[in-house]
Amino acid sequence: HVQLVESGGGSVQAGGSLRLSCTISGNTISSNCMAWFRQAPGKEREGVAAIDSDGDGKTSYAASVKGRFTISKDNAKNTLYLQMNSLKPEDTAVYYCAASPFRPPLYRFLALSEYKYWGQGTQVTVS
């Protein structure tokens, strides 16, 4: 039974930083393509950042966060991270961690339908 548990959300002023964490159990992070998605009130869930399973560690970022957010992982801790800097009010959303054992191609890294396992979400509020 695969479980993803996010932590690290909270409230921050514009321009501030937060780091989200996601720990996976029941599977290894190294065998999954991992991603962060977010969903703001009244909007569809969207891909934010993704990182390949073990290999060359390819990453993909949404244009709206490129240069501000960094996705990374610690295989030994089975944990995924999202470092968020220069936060803006429009970054306010519930952030979800997701895992795909299917290893999608790079152009599909941020596609919702590629991900099989999901966390419960953590709220990020930027004011």
Side-chain angles (χ1 to χ4, degrees):
H1 178 59
V2 179
Q3 280 193 310
L4 304 176
V5 179
E6 303 100 333
S7 61
S11 297
V12 64
Q13 290 190 334
S17 298
L18 281 174
R19 188 176 81 156
L20 305 182
S21 299
C22 170
T23 300
I24 186 171
S25 59
N27 205 328
T28 58
I29 203 168
S30 61
S31 61
N32 286 270
C33 180
M34 301 295 299
W36 290 97
F37 287 77
R38 68 185 180 186
Q39 188 166 19
K43 294 189 176 181
E44 292 187 352
R45 193 171 298 190
E46 63 174 359
V48 175
I51 187 166
D52 200 2
S53 56
D54 257 6
D56 54 10
K58 293 189 296 289
T59 58
S60 180
Y61 293 92
S64 58
V65 306
K66 208 165 189 178
R68 299 188 298 123
F69 290 11
T70 302
I71 189 170
S72 62
K73 60 182 180 176
D74 185 331
N75 289 344
K77 294 182 178 180
N78 238 13
T79 301
L80 177 74
Y81 302 101
L82 185 68
Q83 178 66 43
M84 305 186 293
N85 298 328
S86 303
L87 283 161
K88 304 175 181 180
E90 50 265 42
D91 295 317
T92 295
V94 177
Y95 283 71
Y96 298 90
C97 172
S100 171
F102 310 120
R103 198 167 183 192
L106 181 60
Y107 74 94
R108 296 280 298 168
F109 270 22
L110 298 181
L112 205 74
S113 60
E114 292 290 348
Y115 292 85
K116 181 176 181 179
Y117 304 112
W118 293 85
Q120 83 289 348
T122 185
Q123 176 71 46
V124 171
T125 303
V126 185
S127 59

